[in-house]
Amino acid sequence: MSQVISGQSPESKPNEPKLVETKAQRVERLKRSKNAWDHFDEIQQFARTGFDSIPPEWLGTYFRSWGVYTQGDGVGVIGGQHGEGKAMPFFMVRIRIPNGLMRSEQVRTIATLAEKYGRGVADITVRQNIQLHWVTIESLPHVLQSLWNVGLTTTGACGDVARNITGCPLAGLDGEEIIDASPLALEIDRELGGNSEFYNLPRKFKISITGCRHWCSYPEINDIGLTATTRRRAGKSEVGFTLRVGGGLSTNPHLAVALDAFIKPEHVIPVVRGVAEIFRASEVLRQSREKARLKFLFLEHGWTADTFLAELQQRIGFSLARGEGEEIPADIHRDHVGVHAQKQPGLACVGASVLRGRITPQQLNLAAGLADRYADGHVRNTVMQNLLIVNVRKESASLVADTLTAAGLPVQASVFARGTISCTGSEFCKLALTETKSFARWLTEELEDRLPAFEEQLKLHITGCPNSCGQHWIADIGIEGKKIKQNGKMVDAYYFCVGGSVGQFAGIARPVGYRCTADTVPDAIERLLEGFNTQREGNENLRQFFGRHSNEELRALLAGTFIGAVDRDVSLGPVPHGVEG
């Protein structure tokens, strides 16, 4: 059967088969026909006429670029058809927060909106955004306007656009940083965020830039990852950036490829724009929604670091200097949690762990109040879903830490609380198989009770389906949600992927063939970590331990005995282009 070319509407002739438009063709046609950023008036009209008046193209495509998508019914994917669950007449609204930088008035506004329109729910995401849930179409224009009034926006937080620009939350404050890259992060945001030139990209486009030595913004899994480095020329030290491209997770994980180039600070914007233009111009990436990310140029279309660099230099119109060696971090947490002295004399940062990223309006208001009273009103969030109050007077740091901890935002958290990440889960997501947020809290508490003396840095990531919004591919222990039948009923279960990491130990987690019901996950992890405690060699860390054990051996530790492997189920459906944080 022939397929319609995107954007055409040919007339069918008698006895000819009806032309069918693919999903990719339909999305491309819709994006070309309208820039939704120019049509806030339509959103206002929907607010007057109600949810039922919203056409499918808005619900499925146009709202995404506004940082808005429909919310699931709490059942997840199994409640719907064709790999996607049922939608409710409510929206998730994702607030774009470049580099995680917020002022106290912005934090209070988010708290007010979450309380008034979001049933008291706010989630910090793995891209330093904050998400609201339960927002109705009637309240959406007011929510957007309230955010604009304090300098915040949702534009480009979802959709086939440049997503929120991530960076180190301690930019400009960390005494060990190579450079304060936050001005560049904000400049990139102004260049690409909400820019109609980049409204219609093949898919989502994620950018990270950091001067932090810990690479806390995870450049390894971004479409563009810029990390600060130094070189010596004519006896002088010069700061620039290493450039990585094509990183991403989802169902086809791929760590970003380092290009042989040294990017001067003044070249960052043209280079970022050049990579975005290469992505925008790639017609081959527009043929399938499931294979439309930049990484597929490397995975399926034969591109290499050299060919990409050559194309980039041709597009920007000048040559880039050869790359320099860099110090790759070994730190695993990368979260800046705890009390840390800033490079500014007399000031400190207080970083609190926000378990699973779920934060209440009361906690947000508390953080804003502490920032105003004991600091200069600045709050920052992290890709590890945590919250920092910065520029705190040192003599007040302990009081601020104690107050946050008493409010359920621990500053000295266990390794399990610090290292646990979870996606949205079936509570709100139409793709999820399992509930993740409450499960993450319960699992963390179980592990804290069972292994109180465990101190090794650990990344434990929970994702409610195989699409990796919880980033389980780069976790020491990554578990992905499944459904299995037990005693005649379908119950939540998790499949284990072990040994993923970034930095010096970078690698994709290995599916080890072990699956168990959700209620027995703590037993499996306890057995695995006890095995590490008793069998580790010398001072080897968890990543080294996993690396020298086979899948069969790790599966035996998880199960308590040697067992055969269980196949890892593939995704029930393609991940929608707005879901990942």
Side-chain angles (χ1 to χ4, degrees):
M1 180 181 295
S2 61
Q3 294 176 332
V4 66
I5 301 301
S6 190
Q8 292 183 349
S9 300
E11 296 181 2
S12 297
K13 296 180 180 180
N15 302 320
E16 283 190 356
K18 184 178 180 180
L19 296 175
V20 177
E21 187 179 47
T22 68
K23 178 181 177 181
Q25 289 169 340
R26 179 177 185 273
V27 172
E28 291 300 316
R29 172 175 57 81
L30 291 174
K31 288 188 298 180
R32 283 198 304 269
S33 66
K34 177 187 293 186
N35 181 339
W37 293 335
D38 296 333
H39 293 275
F40 179 61
D41 58 324
E42 292 191 44
I43 296 177
Q44 292 175 306
Q45 177 63 29
F46 300 148
R48 291 189 290 269
T49 54
F51 186 87
D52 290 340
S53 70
I54 305 173
E57 59 266 27
W58 269 92
L59 293 174
T61 300
Y62 292 138
F63 269 132
R64 303 288 175 89
S65 60
W66 278 94
V68 174
Y69 68 85
T70 52
Q71 182 172 301
D73 63 357
V75 180
V77 68
I78 63 172
Q81 295 179 338
H82 309 299
E84 186 166 328
K86 294 179 181 178
M88 297 180 70
F90 298 96
F91 295 99
M92 187 257 2
V93 177
R94 183 177 294 155
I95 304 165
R96 186 182 181 106
I97 304 172
N99 210 107
L101 308 178
M102 295 183 289
R103 303 187 307 274
S104 58
E105 64 170 333
Q106 294 173 325
V107 176
R108 287 193 180 90
T109 295
I110 294 171
T112 298
L113 294 174
E115 182 70 34
K116 188 172 182 179
Y117 301 111
R119 299 189 185 181
V121 175
D123 289 331
I124 302 173
T125 80
V126 293
R127 291 202 66 78
Q128 295 175 295
N129 301 294
I130 294 182
Q131 294 181 171
L132 307 178
H133 297 279
W134 298 109
V135 176
T136 65
I137 187 59
E138 289 80 8
S139 62
L140 182 57
H142 178 72
V143 169
L144 297 177
Q145 189 65 60
S146 297
L147 294 170
W148 297 338
N149 290 342
V150 292
L152 293 173
T153 184
T154 65
T155 302
C158 302
D160 297 351
V161 295
R163 300 292 185 87
N164 191 42
I165 314 302
T166 60
C168 176
L170 287 188
L173 311 176
D174 181 5
E176 296 182 351
E177 71 180 355
I178 298 172
I179 187 176
D180 176 6
S182 61
L184 286 168
L186 298 177
E187 191 173 351
I188 295 169
D189 184 69
R190 288 189 294 270
E191 181 73 18
L192 299 183
N195 183 345
S196 60
E197 290 184 61
F198 298 96
Y199 171 77
N200 179 10
L201 298 177
R203 200 79 148 65
K204 68 189 76 172
F205 190 62
K206 299 181 177 180
I207 304 169
S208 160
I209 181 169
T210 183
C212 171
R213 294 183 184 274
H214 303 287
W215 294 9
C216 62
S217 57
Y218 290 88
E220 300 97 333
I221 58 171
N222 278 261
D223 294 286
I224 297 177
L226 288 156
T227 51
T229 187
T230 59
R231 68 177 184 177
R232 293 195 68 81
R233 289 294 183 272
K236 295 182 180 180
S237 179
E238 180 183 3
V239 174
F241 294 89
T242 296
L243 172 64
R244 288 173 170 79
V245 296
L249 297 177
S250 193
T251 54
N252 297 93
H254 182 255
L255 295 178
V257 175
L259 304 188
D260 184 12
F262 180 86
I263 314 299
K264 296 181 179 180
E266 61 267 28
H267 292 158
V268 164
I269 299 304
V271 163
V272 167
R273 186 180 176 96
V275 176
E277 289 174 349
I278 291 172
F279 185 45
R280 184 183 62 191
S282 179
E283 288 299 323
V284 72
L285 295 180
R286 295 182 186 270
Q287 305 307 309
S288 167
R289 296 295 298 164
E290 287 69 59
K291 296 182 178 182
R293 294 290 301 278
L294 189 67
K295 64 184 177 182
F296 284 100
L297 292 180
F298 298 94
L299 286 171
E300 296 199 358
H301 300 294
W303 286 54
T304 66
D306 290 340
T307 58
F308 197 103
L309 179 59
E311 176 66 21
L312 175 61
Q313 291 181 136
Q314 182 177 1
R315 187 166 289 272
I316 62 178
F318 58 88
S319 296
L320 298 167
R322 296 289 298 273
E324 298 288 327
E326 59 184 343
E327 185 177 342
I328 300 177
D331 186 65
I332 301 304
H333 278 148
R334 301 184 176 189
D335 59 2
H336 300 298
V337 165
V339 178
H340 304 282
Q342 296 179 191
K343 62 183 177 183
Q344 293 82 7
L347 298 181
C349 160
V350 181
S353 179
V354 183
L355 181 61
R356 70 229 169 105
R358 178 63 52 86
I359 193 166
T360 68
Q362 293 76 23
Q363 290 171 325
L364 287 169
N365 279 321
L366 174 68
L370 291 172
D372 283 337
R373 184 171 182 181
Y374 300 108
D376 64 349
H378 285 88
V379 178
R380 303 183 178 186
N381 57 26
T382 82
V383 298
M384 284 290 286
Q385 301 178 309
N386 296 320
L387 196 72
L388 316 180
I389 299 177
V390 300
N391 299 322
V392 178
R393 297 185 294 276
K394 277 190 177 179
E395 63 271 19
S396 303
S398 294
L399 174 61
V400 171
D402 291 344
T403 305
L404 289 170
T405 300
L409 299 172
V411 172
Q412 297 298 328
S414 72
V415 294
F416 301 111
R418 284 187 69 176
T420 297
I421 291 288
S422 73
C423 71
T424 298
S426 60
E427 181 182 12
F428 299 121
C429 178
K430 301 190 294 293
L431 267 289
L433 286 159
T434 60
E435 191 282 326
T436 58
K437 293 295 188 183
S438 296
F439 175 77
R441 176 178 289 281
W442 171 76
L443 176 60
T444 300
E445 291 172 350
E446 281 288 317
L447 294 174
E448 288 171 342
D449 288 342
R450 296 174 185 222
L451 299 163
F454 191 83
E455 295 183 352
E456 176 78 13
Q457 284 196 2
L458 170 73
K459 284 176 65 63
L460 172 58
H461 288 208
I462 304 164
T463 190
C465 76
N467 290 310
S468 194
C469 299
Q471 300 180 342
H472 68 295
W473 291 120
I474 57 167
D476 295 301
I477 303 173
I479 56 176
E480 59 179 43
K482 307 292 179 185
K483 288 288 188 186
I484 62 174
K485 185 170 287 188
Q486 185 181 65
N487 299 324
K489 296 182 178 180
M490 298 301 291
V491 299
D492 284 3
Y494 284 93
Y495 184 95
F496 280 73
C497 299
V498 174
S501 190
V502 288
Q504 286 185 12
F505 307 99
I508 300 300
R510 295 144 47 194
V512 296
Y514 183 72
R515 182 183 64 198
C516 64
T517 56
D519 62 328
T520 61
V521 167
D523 301 331
I525 294 178
E526 181 182 13
R527 287 190 290 263
L528 180 65
L529 297 183
E530 287 287 17
F532 165 73
N533 283 335
T534 58
Q535 299 178 28
R536 68 190 300 185
E537 295 181 353
N539 293 322
E540 75 176 345
N541 59 36
L542 201 58
R543 284 135 297 284
Q544 293 167 322
F545 176 81
F546 288 156
R548 69 176 176 86
H549 283 78
S550 68
N551 289 351
E552 290 74 19
E553 291 169 329
L554 294 175
R555 187 166 63 246
L557 288 175
L558 287 163
T561 185
F562 281 95
I563 59 172
V566 174
D567 289 337
R568 174 179 168 263
D569 300 327
V570 298
S571 173
L572 291 180
V575 62
H577 60 290
V579 171
E580 297 171 26

